[in-house]
Amino acid sequence: LISVLKGNKNPKPKASMGFRPEILSLNDHTKIKFFDIGGSSRIRGIWSNYYHDAHSVIFVIDSACSNQIYQETLSVAKQSLGHKDRQGKPLLVLSNKKDLAESRPAESISSDMNLNVIEGGLAKIVETSLHPKRANNNVEADPNVDKSIEWLLKITLHNFSDLDERVIEDGKE
């Protein structure tokens, strides 16, 4: 996702292996800090150390993974997304690999994750392909990526004062 947001038209995806902060410029006055945190079982223990600093969260799920990995991902998602420092903050779930035949529909994933996705709410799930060359044999980025990030930025900025106050208070704990 970070590679795509940086403008890489043909990313060579690799799993995030650790923790990597990335700062991307939205414009001349606004910078966005992403915490790219790996999903392996060895690193999940540190996730909760960053929830208090987050104004919003992006959770990427492989919608075409095996049933075993899917069940593990659901368990991890429910645990991490249910953390007290994550509650009430905007959430974007990217259901990746929509281009593959075995891809699960977003509605199914949303139901399996017990996400409360309502129009105008703080949670959204979007089907996408972060690898456009594989998805459509060209190098055009999936427009759902930009649209979903724009939604997340809009909802986060709309609620920024409250979210920032909460981040400060949660950080004190």
Side-chain angles (χ1 to χ4, degrees), residues 1-8 24-25 34 58 130 145-146 149:
L1 175 61
I2 298 293
S3 293
V4 170
L5 293 176
K6 284 179 159 182
N8 189 336
L24 302 179
S25 294
F34 290 87
I58 302 172
L130 295 173
V145 175
D146 285 342
I149 297 296

Side-chain angles (χ1 to χ4, degrees), residues 38-51:
S40 76
S41 59
R42 291 188 312 254
I43 196 156
R44 288 182 207 143
I46 72 164
W47 286 8
S48 61
N49 296 328
Y50 299 96
Y51 296 154

